[in-house]
Structures are given as structure tokens and as C-alpha cells.
Amino acid sequence: MANPLLRPVDEFVGTIAPVLVGLAGELRVQSEKLPADVALEAFNVAAAVMDSDGTLTDDELWAFIGVFARRFDTVARAASPMGLRLAGLLGGKRTFVDHPSALFALLLRADAARGTTHTWDYHRLALDIATAVVSLSPVASHAELAAVERFRSTLLAAMDGAGLPRPGSAPATTSPTPGPAVLEATDAQPETPEPPEPPRPLEELLAELDELVGLAAVKAEVKLVADLIRVQKLRQERGLPVVDQSRHLVFTGNPGTGKTTVARLIAQIYRTLGVVDKGHLIETDRAGLVAGYVGQTSIKVKEVFKAAMGGVLLIDEAHALVRGNERDFGHEAIDMIVKYMEDHRGDVVLIVAGYPEEMTEFLDANPGLRSRFPKTIYFEDYSDAELLGIFDLMCAKNHYSPTPEARDRVLAYLASQPRTHGFGNGRVVRNLFEAAVARHASRVVDEAEPSDDVLVTLEAADIPAAAS
């Protein structure tokens, strides 16, 4: 069976070594030594991911020997997994992914000076090595997946800090890049939208995810899901066994925390990674699934699943399906959902969303539900500062400019809102922004010839007072 590490390591060395040969004058070393230096970089990437979970399996070490024994005498002399363990060649390497290496820093300087994209090549190829390491295990460990994500974040942060663009990414905007439509399933049944062509690059989608305000824990979970899918695909391509895992997700948290936006990105990520064919998002709720008469609920559920084929179905406030007594048609809808999840495995990914406590009740409503949702992603409430950032984005998108005093008043307003069960988060900001725009309009409407500055400036007086 082919060694999964061989191709990514050879591609990394074969691509990066010629670049460094061209920069040999800056390195002040003989160019013939450079391939070995690049191979050492690949060595460190692979060793860091292997060492991240504290467990070096025989499969991992045999793959490591198969790639690096021909490049390094120290590995060749170890000759076996036990020899590598005794030599300690991979121990203490896990921190390599947490800081840009000297080689990567050199590529950063070269790209900044010349407008080249060598750091992006390093980023892509080094992550291929890291992912290949994780694929050596039948079940990817959380520690190894987290190491891959830390490595990606380390490299991208260094690129951003150097002011380098990310090739393939859309220019930064104040709102998410348009993607497949988010349709709402209601009594008027939606038609499945045409998918975008071609699928958007994964790094572009992850960059858009990173641009969202807050949601640090959510972003980390989504990236772990994406990395796991990449690892499993790699194992499949090499004929290695793969543990079958459901892709369905549970989102919990208060309203207005970005669940629909993240679901849309996940739909596109799943399409890029080959989990679904079309990558569109269908959004529905109890009203779109439950009818008032016998026999109609099953028809509505069928039509919603039909619209979501090849994409992702988001059921918002899914816990509302379990309200009422046993005769309530919400329970019939749940039974039909379980049936269609089984009948259309691989055709539709389901995301159910709602409040944390209530979603526990929903998952217990049918014996087949909980086992089909292996991962729950919790969306925390935004902080006051993050909500202010969302307000700023709304202003920029709609061509308004708040004064510093107005922003202080916005922050005071947000801080005064009680963070109770059901707090609206982004919806609170939306309502506040719309109220500010209305007050601004009332203030300037009577001016004979208001200047452009007056028309776009939100002042403190335009912001509603904080709750007492």
C-alpha cells in the first residue's frame, strides 16, 4: 500500500527547494545544501503533528521512516519504530506548528519585497503533509486535528501580519461573499437553486468564516469538521479503512448568533469537500414542516427534503416540533425527518438549531435522532464589543458613519440589555441600527440643503438611550 506521506513530502521539497535556490544569496549558504534544509522543514511538520497527541503508532513511524530514511542518516540508523522512539527524534516537536519557522519567515520577506506567492505554496503543501499524517490513523485524534488547525492559523496570521493577500480569496468586504442562496421552506415550496460553478476553494471559505465577528469556538469546530473530512477522503483515496461518520450537526445558542450564516458556509464547505453535490442551504422551521390536518405533515416534510437534495437543510428552532401532546403533528414531522434522513443518507445534510436545554428534549423525542447527530456546536452570545463591531459593519455596509460619541452611546445601550434566555444578539443590533437611521432621518429631514457629511453621519442623539 502506498505511503500517504510520500507524495506531499516530495511535492513540498520539489516546490520549495528551487525557490530557496533562487534566494541563496540572502541565505548566505551553498545552494546545494538547500534541498536538505527544505526536507528538514517537512520532517519538522510531520513530526510536530505526530507528536501532538503524545502517541507515536507503528503505522505512523513506518510511514515516517519510509519517507525520511533516504533523506536523513539519523532516521535510517533508527531503522524501526522502536528505534525511532528510543532515539527520540520526534519527541518535543509539537510546538513547531505554533510559530512561523525561519524558512517561512524568509519566504514572507521575499513575497513582501517581490509580490510573489511562495508563502501560499508553503502553506498549501505543508498542510498537505500535516493532513497526510493525520490520515495514517483509522480514527483521527482530536489533538492531531487541532495541531493542523493551529498550524494553519499560525501561517495565515503571519501572512496577514506581513500584509500579504491570500491567493484565491475574495477582497475583504463588510458582508459575507455571496454564495448559494439561502431559501426558506414555507407552504409555497421552494425550488432547488442552481449550484455555483465551480465550488469555491476551501481556504477562501475558511477565510470568509474567519471574517465573521466573534464566534471563535464555532470557527474552531467548523475547521475541525473540515479537516476531518479531508483526512477521511485522503484515506479513501489510498484504499485505507474509514470510520463511517454522520455529517449532521446540532447548533445551540440564542437567536442572532450567526447560525444561518455559518450553516450557509458549511453547505459550501461540504460541497467543496465532496460531501454534497450542490451546496445550497434550505432553511425551514416548524411552520414549514407541520400541517394542521392528517396526512399533510408528511407531504410538507417530503417537499422540504426534496428541495434540500444535494445540499444542507437547516431546521431553526427545531425544539418547537416537540411542543404539545402526543397527537401534535410535530411528533409526526420528527418521525418523518428520521425516515428521510435514513432514506437519503448522503443526499442531504441536516442541521437542527435551537436553545441548548430545549434541543436536548428534541433529540430525545425519537430513538433514532440522537445517534444521527454526533456533534453539537454551541454559539455563545456576542460580547458588547463584538455587538458594537456588528453595528459598525452595518453602518459601513449602508454608508453611515457613527461619531465616536455615537459609538459610545451604542456600547452603553448594548451593555444595558439584559442577557436573559433568548437574548437577540445580532437582532438587537439590527433593531438598534434601524432605530438610529430613523432618528437620523427625522433629525435631518427639515434641513434645506444637508451636506453629504450630514446625510451619512450618525450622531449620539440618533442612538436610543440605554435601558434604565
Side-chain angles (χ1 to χ4, degrees):
M1 189 174 294
N3 185 338
L5 269 179
L6 186 60
R7 179 193 57 78
V9 169
D10 283 348
E11 287 187 359
F12 181 85
V13 175
T15 301
I16 303 301
V19 172
L20 294 187
V21 169
L23 300 174
E26 294 183 30
L27 285 171
R28 295 195 178 101
V29 298
Q30 295 177 353
S31 61
E32 59 267 20
K33 295 182 180 179
L34 290 170
D37 293 336
V38 179
L40 180 59
E41 193 85 357
F43 176 107
N44 286 329
V45 172
V49 178
M50 286 186 184
D51 186 46
S52 62
D53 62 358
T55 302
L56 300 174
T57 68
D58 283 358
D59 287 343
E60 289 177 332
L61 295 177
W62 277 123
F64 193 88
I65 292 168
V67 172
F68 293 108
R70 59 191 172 96
R71 299 181 184 274
F72 299 104
D73 291 340
T74 52
V75 178
R77 286 196 297 270
S80 69
M82 182 56 69
L84 273 183
R85 293 188 185 99
L86 292 174
L89 294 180
L90 280 71
K93 294 289 188 179
R94 66 186 65 179
T95 59
F96 179 85
V97 300
D98 296 322
H99 308 283
S101 68
L103 189 154
F104 187 73
L106 174 68
L107 296 178
L108 277 176
R109 293 195 300 272
D111 283 355
R114 297 170 173 79
T116 49
T117 57
H118 303 313
T119 48
W120 184 254
D121 291 333
Y122 178 108
H123 166 275
R124 174 175 54 85
L125 297 169
L127 283 174
D128 283 348
I129 295 173
T131 303
V133 169
V134 184
S135 76
L136 295 169
S137 301
V139 179
S141 74
H142 184 277
E144 287 187 338
L145 289 171
V148 173
E149 190 47 48
R150 291 202 316 277
F151 191 35
R152 176 190 285 114
S153 298
T154 294
L155 299 179
L156 291 178
M159 293 169 67
D160 292 343
L164 299 179
R166 302 182 185 184
S169 296
T173 61
T174 57
S175 58
T177 303
V182 179
L183 301 183
E184 182 178 357
T186 60
D187 289 334
Q189 298 303 330
E191 296 181 357
T192 303
E194 289 296 323
E197 293 292 346
R200 294 171 61 192
L202 178 62
E203 288 299 337
E204 179 180 319
L205 294 168
L206 295 181
E208 184 174 325
L209 178 71
D210 283 335
E211 289 172 2
L212 299 178
V213 174
L215 304 178
V218 172
K219 295 171 183 176
E221 288 291 339
V222 172
K223 291 172 184 177
L224 286 176
V225 169
D227 286 337
L228 178 59
I229 294 171
R230 291 182 66 196
V231 167
Q232 291 178 327
K233 284 188 63 179
L234 200 58
R235 289 183 64 84
Q236 287 176 330
E237 290 169 0
R238 286 161 173 74
L240 297 171
V242 176
V243 178
D244 186 26
Q245 289 188 321
S246 171
R247 304 301 182 199
H248 306 303
L249 299 168
V250 178
F251 286 179
T252 64
N254 277 330
T257 47
K259 292 188 286 290
T260 299
T261 299
V262 172
R264 178 180 64 79
L265 284 171
I266 286 177
Q268 295 181 66
I269 289 170
Y270 276 0
R271 180 171 186 253
T272 296
L273 295 176
V275 176
V276 296
D277 295 330
K278 299 178 181 177
H280 62 295
L281 177 70
I282 296 293
E283 184 179 6
T284 192
D285 56 15
R286 177 186 167 93
L289 297 168
V290 178
Y293 300 96
V294 175
Q296 292 184 337
T297 292
S298 62
I299 295 174
K300 295 184 77 170
V301 174
K302 179 180 179 180
E303 290 300 321
V304 169
F305 267 84
K306 180 180 178 181
M309 287 292 176
V312 172
L313 173 60
L314 171 64
I315 303 178
D316 196 18
E317 297 186 358
H319 49 77
L321 294 173
V322 299
R323 70 188 183 203
N325 55 40
E326 293 182 355
R327 297 183 178 181
D328 183 84
F329 292 120
H331 292 274
E332 179 186 352
I334 293 174
D335 294 341
M336 293 302 300
I337 288 168
V338 173
K339 178 182 184 302
Y340 283 114
M341 290 174 71
E342 183 62 31
D343 292 348
H344 299 287
R345 296 178 64 186
D347 297 324
V348 178
V349 171
L350 184 60
I351 300 176
V352 291
Y355 301 124
E357 297 82 4
E358 287 85 341
M359 288 306 293
T360 297
E361 183 182 358
F362 168 78
L363 294 174
D364 290 337
N366 182 292
L369 265 182
R370 187 174 291 278
S371 63
R372 287 175 167 81
F373 291 95
K375 179 175 283 293
T376 296
I377 299 179
Y378 175 61
F379 287 67
E380 291 185 329
D381 286 342
Y382 290 110
S383 68
D384 293 339
E386 289 168 345
L387 291 174
L388 177 61
I390 294 173
F391 182 87
D392 289 336
L393 289 175
M394 289 181 180
C395 287
K397 182 179 179 181
N398 292 278
H399 304 287
Y400 283 94
S401 178
T403 65
E405 294 77 17
R407 295 181 75 253
D408 288 343
R409 193 172 171 100
V410 168
L411 193 59
Y413 178 92
L414 295 171
S416 72
Q417 301 302 302
R419 298 301 186 96
T420 57
H421 182 68
F423 174 65
N425 288 282
R427 298 178 188 178
V428 172
V429 178
R430 166 64 64 183
N431 292 338
L432 176 61
F433 173 75
E434 291 177 352
V437 169
R439 290 163 69 105
H440 169 270
S442 297
R443 178 171 58 82
V444 305
V445 69
D446 292 330
E447 293 194 23
E449 294 184 5
S451 66
D452 289 349
D453 284 345
V454 169
L455 290 174
V456 301
T457 301
L458 294 179
E459 297 182 356
D462 299 325
I463 310 300
S468 57

